[in-house]
Amino acid sequence: MIGIVVVSHSHALAVAAVDLALEMVKDSSQPMIQVAAGLDEQTFGTDASAIAQAISQLSDQDGVLVMVDLGSAILSAEMALEFLEPALAGKVVISPAPLVEGLVAAVVTASGGADLAEVDQEARLALSAKQQQLAPASAGNSLKVQATATTVSSDSSTTAKAAEVPPAATTPADEASAADNDQVSAEQARQFRWTIRNPHGLHARPAARLVTGLRGLQATISFRNASSGAGPASGGSLMGIEALGLRHGDQLVADITGPDAQVALDRLTALAQNDFGDTTA
Amino acid sequence: MAIDQAALGAWLADFADQIHQGADQLTDLDREIGDGDHGSNMDRGMKAVAALDPNDFASGADYLKKVGMTLVSTVGGASGPIYGTFFLRLGAAWSSVNDAPTLGLALRAGLDGIQQRGKATTGDKTLVDALSPAVEAYDKQADQGISTALAAAAGAAEAGRDATIPMVAHKGRASYLGERSAGHQDPGATSMTMLLEAAAKHLS
């Protein structure tokens, strides 16, 4: 698992952001996190030496992602890399993601065992998920990045990526006929449909449980919001799933392929029936 | 060696003093266009530097590197890594400083370090607007000796500092203000000018 260093001007801000992010994952799967924030608990500031020390404490991890707030946090983190042994500095990435959203995405993704590049990428998407929710029209650039990363076009009857949708599987063209079934089976391909019952929709915490619950399987899972047409989003991407904007009453569609497709379907069904860990009362 | 450790210590003690006396002014300037902490941050850092005894170090290079690391760990704001990088690079170049031209090379190494760290160039309304013309002016007078070249550098820094007033900030917290940052003197250029004025007084 990779480790995470949180760099902020404010010690209190960093500690609170870590608490917020760790709420998303079980104790047993939490990544190692070090805080290098504030000159002390009261004084705002960043310290390149302290950041280098925090990274060194995670040297036995599979990589280190450094989350930063602004200004000197960025300069100090860059300087800290120059203080490290090249071998260690080589497995450290400073994330350009916004601190809070990026940290949540990074913690959830890291807890599933994703490598440094994948966690870094997922943290970067944290900004576009927020943009999509608040300003869909103006967020075009970052959304394009996300769309190409997940490869399947949502409304066309031509499948954009054959590998993810084998010939035997239902194609989007079959959607109307498949709509009355909960599950459509095919050789190593499954489809899952679920109407979201969570009163607040599939917000960050249930979405995080969905991502972590489906980790480690040999299956490609692609989620869509059939009610709004949003998606697809990779099943491993918390930010992609959040960007689907699944609200109460929306229909979630998952296309699953790969050797573990049935296991994934079973897990997905169990997660959904449990409302992704939310109490819906 | 043209400049001994005692002279380096006197230079930085004077700079610490200027910063302390000017802390309110620097903070006021920063309050106009930034987060209002430049004076207090630099004062905290330079007090820690002034507490170092230059004679405790094996060489001027070691002393300057320690000054850099002290600023990195005590300033807190962006000036920490920026001034810290300046002194670390100056320290790294110090063993080859033995006359005015080689001091010019060391100052340029410090300027290059600052520009790599902060990615700022002239016209961005930062301390680069004081240091960059100062290094250029120094180089033009380097054949006249250290005192003359540093006096020219300090004069160029003062002019560069004053020239930041109408600029629109492109770096740092002030860049969040955009056009509204125009009309205010840059606090970083102000403190950098103090450093060069102190150098002109104590290094020869």
Side-chain angles (χ1 to χ4, degrees), chain B:
Chain B
M1 173 56 66
I3 299 168
D4 63 18
Q5 280 157 248
L8 288 175
W11 167 34
L12 296 179
D14 190 356
F15 179 49
D17 204 38
Q18 296 300 316
I19 288 285
H20 184 66
Q21 289 176 23
D24 289 345
Q25 183 214 351
L26 290 171
T27 290
D28 286 346
L29 288 173
D30 197 26
R31 200 167 280 141
E32 294 292 341
I33 60 171
D35 48 0
D37 62 4
H38 188 61
S40 53
N41 282 353
M42 286 299 293
D43 192 28
R44 181 172 55 232
M46 286 311 299
K47 269 186 188 146
V49 167
L52 301 170
D53 183 347
N55 298 314
D56 285 347
F57 297 87
S59 65
D62 285 357
Y63 171 59
L64 289 169
K65 286 179 198 168
K66 179 67 179 177
V67 168
M69 290 306 296
T70 301
L71 292 173
V72 158
S73 291
T74 56
V75 171
S79 308
I82 288 173
Y83 274 99
T85 299
F86 177 80
F87 283 104
L88 287 174
R89 296 291 171 92
L90 200 61
W94 199 253
S95 62
S96 20
V97 173
N98 54 26
D99 57 11
T102 48
L103 176 59
L105 292 175
L107 290 171
R108 186 164 290 281
L111 169 63
D112 290 347
I114 284 179
Q115 294 202 266
Q116 283 163 22
R117 180 72 55 219
K119 317 270 194 308
T121 184
T122 47
D124 284 342
K125 198 178 179 96
T126 71
L127 49 71
V128 171
D129 288 309
L131 181 57
S132 180
V135 171
E136 274 174 40
Y138 181 99
D139 284 346
K140 280 189 190 141
Q141 299 288 319
D143 56 355
Q144 303 295 310
I146 289 174
S147 293
T148 305
L150 279 176
E158 287 159 6
R161 171 199 64 198
D162 295 345
T164 63
I165 294 173
M167 289 178 185
V168 173
H170 294 118
K171 294 284 169 189
R173 210 66 73 90
S175 64
Y176 288 77
L177 292 176
E179 298 286 338
R180 279 180 289 154
S181 61
H184 302 283
Q185 181 175 308
D186 181 63
T190 308
S191 61
M192 177 53 76
T193 301
M194 292 174 177
L195 179 68
L196 292 162
E197 286 169 339
K201 264 195 277 177
H202 296 278
L203 307 183
S204 59

Side-chain angles (χ1 to χ4, degrees), chain A residues 48-62:
Chain A
S49 300
I51 298 167
Q53 199 180 354
I55 294 170
S56 299
Q57 283 173 335
L58 298 173
S59 60
D60 56 343
Q61 300 296 300
D62 297 327

Side-chain angles (χ1 to χ4, degrees), chain A residues 151-152 159-167 169 257:
Chain A
T151 66
V152 186
T159 53
K161 191 177 175 192
E164 283 193 8
V165 187
T257 58

